[in-house]
Amino acid sequence: MRLGYYMGYWSAGPPVGAQETVVAAEQLGFDSVWTAEAYGSDALTPLAWWGSRTERIRLGTAIAQLSARTPTAAAMAALTLDHLSGGRFVLGLGASGPQVVEGWYGQPYPKPLARTREYVAIVRQVLAREAPVTYDGEFFQLPLDGGTHLGKPLRSTVHPLRANLPIHLAAEGPKNIAMSAEIADGWLPMFYSPRMDDEYRALLAEGFAVRQAGLSDPAEFEITAAVPVVLGDDVDSAADTIRPFVALYAGGMGAKGANFHRNVLDRLGYSDACDEIQAHYLAGDKVRAAAAVPIELIRDVALVGTPDDIRAQLPAWRSTAVTTMLVQGDPRTLPTIAGLLTED
C-alpha cells in the first residue's frame, strides 16, 4: 500500500506551510499529493505551484469538479500539468452535489453518472489526439449543434505527453463505484471502511466485467482512499479532532435528502447517528453535531490514537483493496505517520 498526502481545498485562504509540506512528503517517500476544490480555491493551480518544487511525487486532483470546466478545458489543464510535471499528473474527477453544481456553477445536476461517462469519453479523445474531437451526447455536443453553426471539429495543438494519462473518479454510490472500474483508471472513495471491503470489491468486479476496451489491465487499477490519521494521547481525544469533519460531511454537505457522503455512512450502519448529526447541524449547532459522531464510526473510517493504537488498526487496512492510503492529518506529524504506516 502506497502513501499519499491529502492537501484538500483551502478554507479562508492559502494553508500556511503548504509548499514545505509537499516537499517534505516527497522526501518522506510519499507517492502522491492531492488537492480538491469546492467553491473557493481550485484544484489545479496549487498543484502547478507546489509541484514546481518537487521532482518525483505524483500530483492528483481529488477532485476536480465536472461542472467547473468543460471536458475539453479539463483535458487542456491535464495535458498542460502533465507536461510541466514531467508526467506526474493524475486527473481525479467528480460530479460534486446539487447544491454546488446548481448553486455555484449554475448547471443542472440530474443524471450525474451519464454526464460523467460523456465527460470522460471527451477527455480521452483529447488526450489520444487521434482525430479532431467530435461528440454527440445528451449533455455535450462537439461541435455545438446551435449558436452560429460555425463551430468545427478541432484537435489539440499540444501533443500530450501521455495519451494514457490516468483518470480517476470520485464515487460513493454503488453504481458510480462500478462505473469507475468500467471507464476509469482509478477510484477515489470517501469514508472507506475495511468492513465494506468485500462489498466494494464486488462492485468493482461488476465494472471490470464490462471494462471498456483499450484501458489498462484491472490489475493496475488504483484505489486511493482518503483516511484521516490523528496521533493523540488516546483514541477518544484523537477522535475528537475528526468529529467536526465527519459532522460537516454527514450533516452539512448536500441537501437533507441528497447527501451522498451521508449515504456512505448509512450503508455502514450509522443512519440513526446521522439523523442526529444532521438535525443538530441544520439547526446551527455544530458542537452538538460533532459530539453526536460515534467513536465506532471514527474507528471505521480513520486511524486514531497512540502509535500503538494505530499499529493495531493497520492490519485491517492492509488487507483491503486500497492501493494508496491518502493521509489526512496534521503535516507536523507526517514523519511519525510515515514511519508507522511503512513498518513491516
Side-chain angles (χ1 to χ4, degrees):
M1 186 184 295
R2 295 185 294 268
L3 292 182
Y5 188 69
Y6 181 72
M7 299 294 294
Y9 50 78
W10 301 358
S11 53
V16 177
Q19 179 73 80
E20 291 76 12
T21 299
V22 174
V23 171
E26 179 173 74
Q27 293 172 344
L28 287 167
F30 279 64
D31 170 75
S32 53
V33 62
W34 300 73
T35 55
E37 60 189 12
Y39 41 94
S41 60
D42 79 283
L44 297 161
T45 308
L47 285 180
W49 186 267
W50 299 334
S52 67
R53 291 276 304 278
T54 60
E55 298 177 355
R56 177 195 56 78
I57 199 166
R58 292 195 296 164
L59 310 167
T61 54
I63 58 165
Q65 297 167 324
L66 300 184
S67 299
R69 48 195 69 82
T70 64
T72 48
M76 290 166 63
L79 68 86
T80 302
L81 266 173
D82 206 43
H83 271 291
L84 292 175
S85 65
R88 292 186 284 144
F89 183 63
V90 181
L91 179 60
L93 297 169
S96 190
Q99 283 190 329
V100 172
V101 172
E102 298 182 356
W104 183 249
Y105 294 115
Q107 297 188 30
Y109 186 76
K111 298 185 179 181
L113 272 69
R115 189 183 301 270
T116 300
R117 283 183 179 276
E118 293 190 11
Y119 199 104
V120 171
I122 294 170
V123 171
R124 290 203 186 278
Q125 271 200 59
V126 175
L127 294 176
R129 204 179 175 274
E130 293 174 348
V133 178
T134 60
Y135 199 85
D136 184 17
E138 179 180 359
F139 305 99
F140 302 103
Q141 297 84 40
L142 293 172
L144 177 68
D145 183 16
T148 64
H149 295 282
L150 296 176
K152 71 175 199 176
L154 299 170
R155 176 163 39 187
S156 169
T157 60
V158 175
H159 293 240
L161 183 64
R162 293 181 297 166
N164 62 345
L165 185 152
I167 299 173
H168 293 193
L169 292 182
E172 295 177 279
K175 292 181 181 179
N176 209 4
I177 294 169
M179 186 178 70
S180 297
E182 179 187 347
I183 70 171
D185 305 294
W187 171 37
L188 296 162
M190 187 173 186
F191 293 134
Y192 198 104
S193 169
R195 284 204 294 115
M196 297 290 288
D197 192 60
D198 288 344
E199 180 176 330
Y200 289 146
R201 288 179 186 269
L203 291 170
L204 292 170
E206 288 180 22
F208 290 141
V210 291
R211 188 163 173 80
Q212 290 183 352
L215 298 185
S216 59
D217 189 287
E220 300 175 7
F221 189 82
E222 295 190 62
I223 301 171
T224 302
V227 181
V229 183
V230 179
L231 290 166
D233 294 332
D234 54 64
V235 170
D236 286 330
S237 64
D240 286 341
T241 303
I242 299 173
R243 282 189 166 98
F245 165 78
V246 175
L248 168 64
Y249 279 85
M253 287 285 193
K256 186 174 183 179
N259 184 333
F260 307 112
H261 312 304
R262 181 209 158 132
N263 292 347
V264 177
L265 302 179
D266 287 338
R267 289 190 288 273
L268 267 173
Y270 295 105
S271 291
D272 290 344
C274 286
D275 284 342
E276 182 179 358
I277 294 165
Q278 191 173 65
H280 290 315
Y281 212 98
L282 295 179
D285 195 339
K286 297 180 182 179
V287 173
R288 291 184 69 187
V293 177
I295 186 66
E296 294 81 9
L297 192 164
I298 298 293
R299 294 188 66 127
D300 265 334
V301 301
L303 292 167
V304 291
T306 67
D308 285 340
D309 291 325
I310 290 177
R311 286 189 186 95
Q313 298 164 48
L314 279 174
W317 285 94
R318 288 181 172 140
S319 67
T320 66
V322 173
T323 60
T324 296
M325 180 178 286
L326 188 54
V327 174
Q328 292 179 255
D330 187 335
R332 294 170 297 182
T333 65
L334 274 186
T336 303
I337 291 172
L340 285 170
L341 299 184
T342 56
E343 288 178 355
D344 294 331

